[in-house]
Every structure is written in C-alpha cells, then in structure tokens.
Amino acid sequence: MTTRVALVGGTGKLGSIIAEVIAATDGFETVTILGSSSDLAEIDAADLVVDASIPAVSIDVVRGAIERGKNVLVGTSGWSSERIALVRPLVDAAGTGAVFIPNFSLGSVIGSALAAASAPFFPSIEIVETHRETKVDSPSGTAVRTAELIAAARSEAGPVEAPHVDQRARGQQIASVPVHSLRRPGVVARQETILSGPGESLSIVHDTIDPASAYAPGIRVALDAARDASGVIVGLDSMIDIGIRMPKPAPVVPVVEGDVAGQAAAATAR
C-alpha cells in the first residue's frame, strides 16, 4: 500500500532533498507540495504530513495534521523540548504520531550521542555550531538537541560550569550549556562540542559536506517510522541502535509559543 505524503516546504533546501528521497522510495508518493503560506486544507488528501517549512509556520502545520488525525514527520528546525511539550498532549489525545528529527544525518546523531555519553566526566562543556549565512535561526535545532542530551546525561552531576554567562559574548545558554552560532559562506553545517576538565579537553566535531547524501538514509528511516508512529518520537536515535546509551531528557513544562528558548521566532529550515 502506498503512503500518500503532503510535503510542506518542499521547495526549500531540506524539502527538496526530502522530495527526491520520497520519489525514489517504494511505498511513498508525494501527492501535494505546500509552501509556507499554503492553505493547510491541502493536506487532507494525504496519509502522512512531512514538515520542512520554517519554525514560525511549523507549529501550525503540526497542529493542523494532528487535528486531522494524520501522522506528521517534522524536519523543521526550532523544535526544542519546550516546544514539543506544547503539542505532546494534542498528539496523545488524537491518538496520532508525531516524529521530530533535529538532524537527519547519522554522523550528527552519533556526534550528539558521544557528547552526551562524555558529559558526566567533564565539568565544562560548550557547543560551537556553524551554518551557511542563509540560515537565519540560531542556535540550530541540532545544537539545542545536543545541549538537552548533555543536560540529561548530567542529571546527577548537575549543570555544566559556565562562567561569565551574563556576558553576551559567552553564547546563549541552552540547558546550562553555552552555545555559540556562526553564520558564514563557504560552509554547509558543522558542530563542535568541546568538553573540558582539569588538564585536558575533548572535542567532538561533525561536518556535513553533501546534505543530500548525508540526509537521505536518515530520511528513509524517519519516513518508515512516521508512517506507523504512535505518540511523540524525537531523534533518529529513537529509531536505530547506534550502540551508545542515550539519556532521556526530563519532562519539561510547555512555554508560550513565540518564547521558545534557543530559537528565533522566524527562521529557515536547517
């Protein structure tokens, strides 16, 4: 049986890659491609909604899918734990599934997992993430996810040591982790997590060189998971065994939409 997909944001950088993967994957068919200003009624003909829009629009896309009893796969940046908490009760009440993927790259997922596994052993941890100059939101969804995993892994050790956080140049604190965002030409995506302790430091670096090649395997995994999902699922690490024990972030209290930690109100997809 073919799963009919409504792809929101299908003409953007990530959306175009997802569209190509769907076209090349048996069992899935794109029946409609929506822009950020399209009427959400266009998703009615689909079995699954895939969202690669912008953070300011994504919340409405997700809610629209849930209200129509449709599962949704979200690749849009900007979904922190606080924002996901806004829709979790809606997903549970509707009996649908919502899959949130901060990054479709397997290497990125492993890098975040390694950072979380190392986090209890280092008192000082900071993240530096770099994307092309056209990405206007910051920090990236991947950096936010990494910081949340680090905080969960340090539930017993406590928050990381981050002196002088009152100074703007010290980065934005996400779950106690300072995150620094660079936006410049000549790069696709790069994240470095720097863990420091007495007399030593450990750097975990991931570079995205070719997004289409890097994201395609993860997109296929996420499509399969989203088609049959029940409830909220976050991250590729929830769907595949990467051989690293992943911490579970503590439940969070939903925040008012538009005041989501770590993200600009209006931004582009990853």
Side-chain angles (χ1 to χ4, degrees), residues 1-54:
M1 181 178 177
T2 298
T3 298
R4 299 167 299 174
V5 178
L7 177 56
V8 186
T11 59
K13 291 183 176 67
L14 177 61
S16 297
I17 295 172
I18 294 175
E20 291 178 0
V21 172
I22 292 174
T25 302
D26 292 338
F28 291 90
E29 175 190 6
T30 300
V31 294
T32 182
I33 295 179
L34 290 74
S36 296
S37 59
S38 296
D39 187 344
L40 282 180
E42 294 182 38
I43 71 175
D44 289 345
D47 305 307
L48 172 67
V49 178
V50 178
D51 175 35
S53 60
I54 59 175

mmCIF file of all heavy atoms in Angstrom, residues 1-54:
data_model
loop_
_atom_site.group_PDB
_atom_site.id
_atom_site.type_symbol
_atom_site.label_atom_id
_atom_site.label_comp_id
_atom_site.label_asym_id
_atom_site.label_seq_id
_atom_site.Cartn_x
_atom_site.Cartn_y
_atom_site.Cartn_z
ATOM 1 N N MET A 1 0.845 -1.195 0.000
ATOM 2 C CA MET A 1 0.000 0.000 0.000
ATOM 3 C C MET A 1 0.884 1.250 0.000
ATOM 4 O O MET A 1 1.842 1.344 0.779
ATOM 5 C CB MET A 1 -0.929 0.011 1.222
ATOM 6 C CG MET A 1 -1.859 1.213 1.289
ATOM 7 S SD MET A 1 -2.966 1.127 2.716
ATOM 8 C CE MET A 1 -3.809 2.694 2.544
ATOM 9 N N THR A 2 0.588 2.193 -0.848
ATOM 10 C CA THR A 2 1.384 3.407 -0.955
ATOM 11 C C THR A 2 0.899 4.463 0.041
ATOM 12 O O THR A 2 -0.302 4.719 0.156
ATOM 13 C CB THR A 2 1.300 3.983 -2.375
ATOM 14 O OG1 THR A 2 1.837 3.031 -3.292
ATOM 15 C CG2 THR A 2 2.094 5.281 -2.473
ATOM 16 N N THR A 3 1.834 5.052 0.766
ATOM 17 C CA THR A 3 1.529 6.129 1.694
ATOM 18 C C THR A 3 1.591 7.455 0.952
ATOM 19 O O THR A 3 2.626 7.819 0.379
ATOM 20 C CB THR A 3 2.537 6.145 2.861
ATOM 21 O OG1 THR A 3 2.435 4.918 3.588
ATOM 22 C CG2 THR A 3 2.259 7.315 3.805
ATOM 23 N N ARG A 4 0.486 8.185 0.963
ATOM 24 C CA ARG A 4 0.403 9.476 0.281
ATOM 25 C C ARG A 4 0.925 10.570 1.216
ATOM 26 O O ARG A 4 0.461 10.688 2.337
ATOM 27 C CB ARG A 4 -1.033 9.749 -0.137
ATOM 28 C CG ARG A 4 -1.604 8.719 -1.115
ATOM 29 C CD ARG A 4 -3.109 8.858 -1.246
ATOM 30 N NE ARG A 4 -3.782 8.639 0.033
ATOM 31 C CZ ARG A 4 -5.077 8.813 0.248
ATOM 32 N NH1 ARG A 4 -5.863 9.237 -0.747
ATOM 33 N NH2 ARG A 4 -5.604 8.567 1.427
ATOM 34 N N VAL A 5 1.866 11.352 0.718
ATOM 35 C CA VAL A 5 2.559 12.341 1.542
ATOM 36 C C VAL A 5 2.216 13.753 1.105
ATOM 37 O O VAL A 5 2.240 14.072 -0.089
ATOM 38 C CB VAL A 5 4.090 12.140 1.467
ATOM 39 C CG1 VAL A 5 4.810 13.214 2.284
ATOM 40 C CG2 VAL A 5 4.474 10.742 1.954
ATOM 41 N N ALA A 6 1.929 14.611 2.079
ATOM 42 C CA ALA A 6 1.845 16.053 1.859
ATOM 43 C C ALA A 6 3.131 16.649 2.407
ATOM 44 O O ALA A 6 3.427 16.521 3.592
ATOM 45 C CB ALA A 6 0.636 16.641 2.581
ATOM 46 N N LEU A 7 3.890 17.294 1.530
ATOM 47 C CA LEU A 7 5.190 17.836 1.908
ATOM 48 C C LEU A 7 5.099 19.355 2.013
ATOM 49 O O LEU A 7 4.874 20.044 1.021
ATOM 50 C CB LEU A 7 6.239 17.433 0.869
ATOM 51 C CG LEU A 7 7.660 17.964 1.043
ATOM 52 C CD1 LEU A 7 8.225 17.594 2.412
ATOM 53 C CD2 LEU A 7 8.553 17.441 -0.076
ATOM 54 N N VAL A 8 5.270 19.857 3.224
ATOM 55 C CA VAL A 8 5.200 21.300 3.465
ATOM 56 C C VAL A 8 6.625 21.859 3.446
ATOM 57 O O VAL A 8 7.501 21.365 4.146
ATOM 58 C CB VAL A 8 4.522 21.612 4.810
ATOM 59 C CG1 VAL A 8 4.341 23.125 4.970
ATOM 60 C CG2 VAL A 8 3.183 20.906 4.926
ATOM 61 N N GLY A 9 6.834 22.896 2.637
ATOM 62 C CA GLY A 9 8.174 23.441 2.494
ATOM 63 C C GLY A 9 9.007 22.635 1.510
ATOM 64 O O GLY A 9 10.232 22.591 1.611
ATOM 65 N N GLY A 10 8.355 22.021 0.554
ATOM 66 C CA GLY A 10 9.021 21.103 -0.360
ATOM 67 C C GLY A 10 9.937 21.759 -1.362
ATOM 68 O O GLY A 10 10.688 21.059 -2.050
ATOM 69 N N THR A 11 9.928 23.086 -1.465
ATOM 70 C CA THR A 11 10.809 23.761 -2.408
ATOM 71 C C THR A 11 12.052 24.331 -1.740
ATOM 72 O O THR A 11 12.915 24.898 -2.416
ATOM 73 C CB THR A 11 10.068 24.898 -3.128
ATOM 74 O OG1 THR A 11 9.582 25.846 -2.156
ATOM 75 C CG2 THR A 11 8.890 24.356 -3.924
ATOM 76 N N GLY A 12 12.151 24.205 -0.416
ATOM 77 C CA GLY A 12 13.336 24.674 0.292
ATOM 78 C C GLY A 12 14.483 23.688 0.169
ATOM 79 O O GLY A 12 14.367 22.632 -0.462
ATOM 80 N N LYS A 13 15.617 24.006 0.800
ATOM 81 C CA LYS A 13 16.800 23.150 0.690
ATOM 82 C C LYS A 13 16.529 21.755 1.238
ATOM 83 O O LYS A 13 16.762 20.740 0.570
ATOM 84 C CB LYS A 13 17.975 23.799 1.417
ATOM 85 C CG LYS A 13 18.502 25.065 0.754
ATOM 86 C CD LYS A 13 19.710 25.602 1.488
ATOM 87 C CE LYS A 13 20.298 26.811 0.764
ATOM 88 N NZ LYS A 13 19.373 27.968 0.817
ATOM 89 N N LEU A 14 16.043 21.671 2.475
ATOM 90 C CA LEU A 14 15.747 20.368 3.058
ATOM 91 C C LEU A 14 14.554 19.727 2.369
ATOM 92 O O LEU A 14 14.558 18.527 2.068
ATOM 93 C CB LEU A 14 15.478 20.509 4.560
ATOM 94 C CG LEU A 14 15.072 19.217 5.288
ATOM 95 C CD1 LEU A 14 16.170 18.163 5.183
ATOM 96 C CD2 LEU A 14 14.747 19.517 6.758
ATOM 97 N N GLY A 15 13.517 20.512 2.096
ATOM 98 C CA GLY A 15 12.316 19.974 1.455
ATOM 99 C C GLY A 15 12.600 19.358 0.106
ATOM 100 O O GLY A 15 12.024 18.315 -0.253
ATOM 101 N N SER A 16 13.493 19.967 -0.657
ATOM 102 C CA SER A 16 13.836 19.422 -1.970
ATOM 103 C C SER A 16 14.522 18.073 -1.852
ATOM 104 O O SER A 16 14.285 17.160 -2.655
ATOM 105 C CB SER A 16 14.748 20.403 -2.716
ATOM 106 O OG SER A 16 14.079 21.625 -2.960
ATOM 107 N N ILE A 17 15.372 17.934 -0.829
ATOM 108 C CA ILE A 17 16.038 16.644 -0.601
ATOM 109 C C ILE A 17 15.011 15.588 -0.203
ATOM 110 O O ILE A 17 15.033 14.455 -0.691
ATOM 111 C CB ILE A 17 17.123 16.784 0.480
ATOM 112 C CG1 ILE A 17 18.235 17.723 -0.004
ATOM 113 C CG2 ILE A 17 17.705 15.415 0.843
ATOM 114 C CD1 ILE A 17 19.245 18.070 1.066
ATOM 115 N N ILE A 18 14.091 15.958 0.680
ATOM 116 C CA ILE A 18 13.055 15.016 1.109
ATOM 117 C C ILE A 18 12.202 14.595 -0.083
ATOM 118 O O ILE A 18 11.856 13.416 -0.220
ATOM 119 C CB ILE A 18 12.183 15.645 2.221
ATOM 120 C CG1 ILE A 18 13.023 15.856 3.490
ATOM 121 C CG2 ILE A 18 10.979 14.758 2.525
ATOM 122 C CD1 ILE A 18 12.286 16.583 4.595
ATOM 123 N N ALA A 19 11.859 15.544 -0.947
ATOM 124 C CA ALA A 19 11.051 15.228 -2.129
ATOM 125 C C ALA A 19 11.752 14.205 -3.014
ATOM 126 O O ALA A 19 11.117 13.265 -3.535
ATOM 127 C CB ALA A 19 10.756 16.508 -2.919
ATOM 128 N N GLU A 20 13.052 14.349 -3.195
ATOM 129 C CA GLU A 20 13.817 13.403 -4.011
ATOM 130 C C GLU A 20 13.844 12.022 -3.368
ATOM 131 O O GLU A 20 13.737 11.003 -4.062
ATOM 132 C CB GLU A 20 15.235 13.927 -4.209
ATOM 133 C CG GLU A 20 15.319 15.164 -5.083
ATOM 134 C CD GLU A 20 16.736 15.688 -5.218
ATOM 135 O OE1 GLU A 20 17.648 15.066 -4.625
ATOM 136 O OE2 GLU A 20 16.935 16.701 -5.902
ATOM 137 N N VAL A 21 13.982 11.987 -2.052
ATOM 138 C CA VAL A 21 14.008 10.693 -1.357
ATOM 139 C C VAL A 21 12.655 10.000 -1.468
ATOM 140 O O VAL A 21 12.585 8.796 -1.726
ATOM 141 C CB VAL A 21 14.400 10.887 0.121
ATOM 142 C CG1 VAL A 21 14.243 9.574 0.894
ATOM 143 C CG2 VAL A 21 15.839 11.389 0.234
ATOM 144 N N ILE A 22 11.582 10.743 -1.286
ATOM 145 C CA ILE A 22 10.243 10.158 -1.400
ATOM 146 C C ILE A 22 10.032 9.593 -2.803
ATOM 147 O O ILE A 22 9.517 8.476 -2.971
ATOM 148 C CB ILE A 22 9.163 11.204 -1.065
ATOM 149 C CG1 ILE A 22 9.222 11.571 0.422
ATOM 150 C CG2 ILE A 22 7.767 10.668 -1.422
ATOM 151 C CD1 ILE A 22 8.296 12.710 0.810
ATOM 152 N N ALA A 23 10.444 10.337 -3.815
ATOM 153 C CA ALA A 23 10.267 9.895 -5.200
ATOM 154 C C ALA A 23 11.028 8.606 -5.488
ATOM 155 O O ALA A 23 10.611 7.808 -6.341
ATOM 156 C CB ALA A 23 10.714 10.992 -6.156
ATOM 157 N N ALA A 24 12.140 8.389 -4.773
ATOM 158 C CA ALA A 24 12.974 7.213 -5.021
ATOM 159 C C ALA A 24 12.694 6.066 -4.052
ATOM 160 O O ALA A 24 13.358 5.023 -4.126
ATOM 161 C CB ALA A 24 14.449 7.603 -4.922
ATOM 162 N N THR A 25 11.709 6.219 -3.167
ATOM 163 C CA THR A 25 11.437 5.216 -2.139
ATOM 164 C C THR A 25 10.119 4.509 -2.409
ATOM 165 O O THR A 25 9.075 5.162 -2.521
ATOM 166 C CB THR A 25 11.386 5.878 -0.741
ATOM 167 O OG1 THR A 25 12.632 6.548 -0.493
ATOM 168 C CG2 THR A 25 11.158 4.836 0.344
ATOM 169 N N ASP A 26 10.167 3.202 -2.503
ATOM 170 C CA ASP A 26 8.949 2.418 -2.714
ATOM 171 C C ASP A 26 8.008 2.575 -1.527
ATOM 172 O O ASP A 26 8.435 2.627 -0.372
ATOM 173 C CB ASP A 26 9.300 0.940 -2.893
ATOM 174 C CG ASP A 26 10.044 0.674 -4.192
ATOM 175 O OD1 ASP A 26 9.935 1.497 -5.107
ATOM 176 O OD2 ASP A 26 10.739 -0.363 -4.266
ATOM 177 N N GLY A 27 6.717 2.653 -1.813
ATOM 178 C CA GLY A 27 5.717 2.713 -0.755
ATOM 179 C C GLY A 27 5.334 4.115 -0.335
ATOM 180 O O GLY A 27 4.474 4.288 0.530
ATOM 181 N N PHE A 28 5.975 5.141 -0.951
ATOM 182 C CA PHE A 28 5.644 6.530 -0.629
ATOM 183 C C PHE A 28 5.443 7.316 -1.914
ATOM 184 O O PHE A 28 6.143 7.104 -2.903
ATOM 185 C CB PHE A 28 6.762 7.182 0.196
ATOM 186 C CG PHE A 28 6.888 6.636 1.594
ATOM 187 C CD1 PHE A 28 7.725 5.560 1.846
ATOM 188 C CD2 PHE A 28 6.175 7.188 2.635
ATOM 189 C CE1 PHE A 28 7.860 5.044 3.118
ATOM 190 C CE2 PHE A 28 6.288 6.675 3.926
ATOM 191 C CZ PHE A 28 7.135 5.597 4.164
ATOM 192 N N GLU A 29 4.507 8.261 -1.862
ATOM 193 C CA GLU A 29 4.225 9.106 -3.018
ATOM 194 C C GLU A 29 3.827 10.497 -2.537
ATOM 195 O O GLU A 29 2.967 10.638 -1.659
ATOM 196 C CB GLU A 29 3.084 8.523 -3.850
ATOM 197 C CG GLU A 29 2.649 9.403 -5.013
ATOM 198 C CD GLU A 29 1.372 8.919 -5.663
ATOM 199 O OE1 GLU A 29 0.758 7.948 -5.136
ATOM 200 O OE2 GLU A 29 0.959 9.511 -6.672
ATOM 201 N N THR A 30 4.472 11.509 -3.072
ATOM 202 C CA THR A 30 4.096 12.891 -2.745
ATOM 203 C C THR A 30 2.870 13.281 -3.564
ATOM 204 O O THR A 30 2.918 13.290 -4.786
ATOM 205 C CB THR A 30 5.251 13.859 -3.040
ATOM 206 O OG1 THR A 30 6.396 13.494 -2.267
ATOM 207 C CG2 THR A 30 4.849 15.285 -2.684
ATOM 208 N N VAL A 31 1.786 13.606 -2.870
ATOM 209 C CA VAL A 31 0.550 13.968 -3.573
ATOM 210 C C VAL A 31 0.324 15.476 -3.605
ATOM 211 O O VAL A 31 -0.454 15.967 -4.424
ATOM 212 C CB VAL A 31 -0.672 13.269 -2.932
ATOM 213 C CG1 VAL A 31 -0.574 11.764 -3.127
ATOM 214 C CG2 VAL A 31 -0.805 13.627 -1.459
ATOM 215 N N THR A 32 1.014 16.208 -2.713
ATOM 216 C CA THR A 32 0.894 17.662 -2.739
ATOM 217 C C THR A 32 2.110 18.279 -2.069
ATOM 218 O O THR A 32 2.649 17.733 -1.100
ATOM 219 C CB THR A 32 -0.392 18.150 -2.031
ATOM 220 O OG1 THR A 32 -0.489 19.572 -2.136
ATOM 221 C CG2 THR A 32 -0.395 17.757 -0.569
ATOM 222 N N ILE A 33 2.565 19.398 -2.627
ATOM 223 C CA ILE A 33 3.667 20.159 -2.050
ATOM 224 C C ILE A 33 3.145 21.535 -1.682
ATOM 225 O O ILE A 33 2.593 22.240 -2.527
ATOM 226 C CB ILE A 33 4.849 20.276 -3.032
ATOM 227 C CG1 ILE A 33 5.456 18.885 -3.299
ATOM 228 C CG2 ILE A 33 5.915 21.215 -2.486
ATOM 229 C CD1 ILE A 33 6.619 18.904 -4.272
ATOM 230 N N LEU A 34 3.302 21.906 -0.428
ATOM 231 C CA LEU A 34 2.775 23.164 0.078
ATOM 232 C C LEU A 34 3.909 24.129 0.380
ATOM 233 O O LEU A 34 4.996 23.718 0.808
ATOM 234 C CB LEU A 34 1.962 22.952 1.357
ATOM 235 C CG LEU A 34 0.615 22.238 1.283
ATOM 236 C CD1 LEU A 34 0.779 20.742 1.075
ATOM 237 C CD2 LEU A 34 -0.181 22.494 2.558
ATOM 238 N N GLY A 35 3.639 25.418 0.180
ATOM 239 C CA GLY A 35 4.538 26.466 0.627
ATOM 240 C C GLY A 35 4.148 26.906 2.028
ATOM 241 O O GLY A 35 3.128 26.465 2.582
ATOM 242 N N SER A 36 4.945 27.784 2.598
ATOM 243 C CA SER A 36 4.682 28.225 3.972
ATOM 244 C C SER A 36 3.363 28.983 4.105
ATOM 245 O O SER A 36 2.785 29.047 5.195
ATOM 246 C CB SER A 36 5.833 29.107 4.461
ATOM 247 O OG SER A 36 7.036 28.374 4.523
ATOM 248 N N SER A 37 2.864 29.555 3.004
ATOM 249 C CA SER A 37 1.610 30.315 3.066
ATOM 250 C C SER A 37 0.428 29.550 2.466
ATOM 251 O O SER A 37 -0.659 30.105 2.315
ATOM 252 C CB SER A 37 1.776 31.648 2.319
ATOM 253 O OG SER A 37 2.125 31.426 0.965
ATOM 254 N N SER A 38 0.608 28.274 2.155
ATOM 255 C CA SER A 38 -0.462 27.484 1.549
ATOM 256 C C SER A 38 -1.578 27.201 2.541
ATOM 257 O O SER A 38 -1.375 27.226 3.762
ATOM 258 C CB SER A 38 0.090 26.157 1.022
ATOM 259 O OG SER A 38 1.022 26.356 -0.008
ATOM 260 N N ASP A 39 -2.748 26.923 2.010
ATOM 261 C CA ASP A 39 -3.888 26.534 2.832
ATOM 262 C C ASP A 39 -3.661 25.112 3.335
ATOM 263 O O ASP A 39 -3.462 24.183 2.544
ATOM 264 C CB ASP A 39 -5.167 26.598 1.989
ATOM 265 C CG ASP A 39 -6.426 26.378 2.811
ATOM 266 O OD1 ASP A 39 -6.323 25.871 3.960
ATOM 267 O OD2 ASP A 39 -7.513 26.694 2.303
ATOM 268 N N LEU A 40 -3.701 24.943 4.655
ATOM 269 C CA LEU A 40 -3.444 23.617 5.231
ATOM 270 C C LEU A 40 -4.496 22.593 4.840
ATOM 271 O O LEU A 40 -4.285 21.392 5.023
ATOM 272 C CB LEU A 40 -3.351 23.712 6.753
ATOM 273 C CG LEU A 40 -2.028 24.262 7.310
ATOM 274 C CD1 LEU A 40 -2.074 24.311 8.835
ATOM 275 C CD2 LEU A 40 -0.854 23.414 6.846
ATOM 276 N N ALA A 41 -5.609 23.039 4.285
ATOM 277 C CA ALA A 41 -6.619 22.093 3.812
ATOM 278 C C ALA A 41 -6.057 21.193 2.718
ATOM 279 O O ALA A 41 -6.590 20.104 2.452
ATOM 280 C CB ALA A 41 -7.849 22.839 3.302
ATOM 281 N N GLU A 42 -4.956 21.613 2.100
ATOM 282 C CA GLU A 42 -4.345 20.818 1.037
ATOM 283 C C GLU A 42 -3.757 19.516 1.551
ATOM 284 O O GLU A 42 -3.466 18.604 0.768
ATOM 285 C CB GLU A 42 -3.262 21.636 0.332
ATOM 286 C CG GLU A 42 -3.798 22.839 -0.441
ATOM 287 C CD GLU A 42 -2.696 23.576 -1.165
ATOM 288 O OE1 GLU A 42 -1.781 22.914 -1.685
ATOM 289 O OE2 GLU A 42 -2.730 24.821 -1.208
ATOM 290 N N ILE A 43 -3.568 19.389 2.873
ATOM 291 C CA ILE A 43 -3.015 18.139 3.413
ATOM 292 C C ILE A 43 -4.088 17.069 3.573
ATOM 293 O O ILE A 43 -3.776 15.922 3.898
ATOM 294 C CB ILE A 43 -2.304 18.360 4.769
ATOM 295 C CG1 ILE A 43 -3.317 18.659 5.890
ATOM 296 C CG2 ILE A 43 -1.265 19.457 4.657
ATOM 297 C CD1 ILE A 43 -2.680 18.773 7.267
ATOM 298 N N ASP A 44 -5.340 17.423 3.326
ATOM 299 C CA ASP A 44 -6.437 16.480 3.557
ATOM 300 C C ASP A 44 -6.306 15.214 2.720
ATOM 301 O O ASP A 44 -6.747 14.135 3.142
ATOM 302 C CB ASP A 44 -7.787 17.152 3.273
ATOM 303 C CG ASP A 44 -8.156 18.184 4.325
ATOM 304 O OD1 ASP A 44 -7.531 18.171 5.406
ATOM 305 O OD2 ASP A 44 -9.045 19.015 4.054
ATOM 306 N N ALA A 45 -5.707 15.311 1.553
ATOM 307 C CA ALA A 45 -5.619 14.161 0.656
ATOM 308 C C ALA A 45 -4.487 13.210 1.023
ATOM 309 O O ALA A 45 -4.340 12.148 0.411
ATOM 310 C CB ALA A 45 -5.426 14.643 -0.790
ATOM 311 N N ALA A 46 -3.694 13.557 2.022
ATOM 312 C CA ALA A 46 -2.508 12.772 2.364
ATOM 313 C C ALA A 46 -2.752 11.852 3.549
ATOM 314 O O ALA A 46 -3.653 12.073 4.369
ATOM 315 C CB ALA A 46 -1.340 13.703 2.659
ATOM 316 N N ASP A 47 -1.915 10.821 3.632
ATOM 317 C CA ASP A 47 -1.914 9.926 4.794
ATOM 318 C C ASP A 47 -0.890 10.386 5.827
ATOM 319 O O ASP A 47 -1.059 10.165 7.027
ATOM 320 C CB ASP A 47 -1.554 8.492 4.371
ATOM 321 C CG ASP A 47 -2.448 7.975 3.270
ATOM 322 O OD1 ASP A 47 -3.676 8.041 3.446
ATOM 323 O OD2 ASP A 47 -1.928 7.506 2.231
ATOM 324 N N LEU A 48 0.180 11.014 5.348
ATOM 325 C CA LEU A 48 1.287 11.449 6.199
ATOM 326 C C LEU A 48 1.691 12.861 5.801
ATOM 327 O O LEU A 48 1.811 13.168 4.618
ATOM 328 C CB LEU A 48 2.484 10.498 6.036
ATOM 329 C CG LEU A 48 3.803 10.891 6.706
ATOM 330 C CD1 LEU A 48 3.664 10.857 8.231
ATOM 331 C CD2 LEU A 48 4.934 9.970 6.250
ATOM 332 N N VAL A 49 1.907 13.720 6.796
ATOM 333 C CA VAL A 49 2.373 15.079 6.554
ATOM 334 C C VAL A 49 3.851 15.156 6.913
ATOM 335 O O VAL A 49 4.259 14.728 8.001
ATOM 336 C CB VAL A 49 1.575 16.102 7.383
ATOM 337 C CG1 VAL A 49 2.113 17.521 7.165
ATOM 338 C CG2 VAL A 49 0.093 16.032 7.038
ATOM 339 N N VAL A 50 4.656 15.679 6.006
ATOM 340 C CA VAL A 50 6.078 15.895 6.260
ATOM 341 C C VAL A 50 6.334 17.397 6.256
ATOM 342 O O VAL A 50 6.014 18.080 5.281
ATOM 343 C CB VAL A 50 6.967 15.191 5.210
ATOM 344 C CG1 VAL A 50 8.441 15.493 5.480
ATOM 345 C CG2 VAL A 50 6.719 13.694 5.220
ATOM 346 N N ASP A 51 6.884 17.902 7.348
ATOM 347 C CA ASP A 51 7.054 19.341 7.519
ATOM 348 C C ASP A 51 8.527 19.730 7.417
ATOM 349 O O ASP A 51 9.346 19.331 8.245
ATOM 350 C CB ASP A 51 6.496 19.765 8.879
ATOM 351 C CG ASP A 51 6.747 21.231 9.168
ATOM 352 O OD1 ASP A 51 6.709 22.022 8.218
ATOM 353 O OD2 ASP A 51 6.989 21.575 10.342
ATOM 354 N N ALA A 52 8.858 20.502 6.387
ATOM 355 C CA ALA A 52 10.205 21.055 6.225
ATOM 356 C C ALA A 52 10.077 22.549 5.973
ATOM 357 O O ALA A 52 10.751 23.116 5.124
ATOM 358 C CB ALA A 52 10.930 20.371 5.075
ATOM 359 N N SER A 53 9.180 23.186 6.713
ATOM 360 C CA SER A 53 8.857 24.596 6.489
ATOM 361 C C SER A 53 9.791 25.499 7.299
ATOM 362 O O SER A 53 11.007 25.327 7.269
ATOM 363 C CB SER A 53 7.388 24.846 6.842
ATOM 364 O OG SER A 53 7.125 24.540 8.202
ATOM 365 N N ILE A 54 9.252 26.461 8.013
ATOM 366 C CA ILE A 54 10.014 27.368 8.859
ATOM 367 C C ILE A 54 9.421 27.309 10.264
ATOM 368 O O ILE A 54 8.248 26.981 10.443
ATOM 369 C CB ILE A 54 10.002 28.807 8.322
ATOM 370 C CG1 ILE A 54 8.575 29.346 8.222
ATOM 371 C CG2 ILE A 54 10.699 28.877 6.963
ATOM 372 C CD1 ILE A 54 8.487 30.801 7.807
#
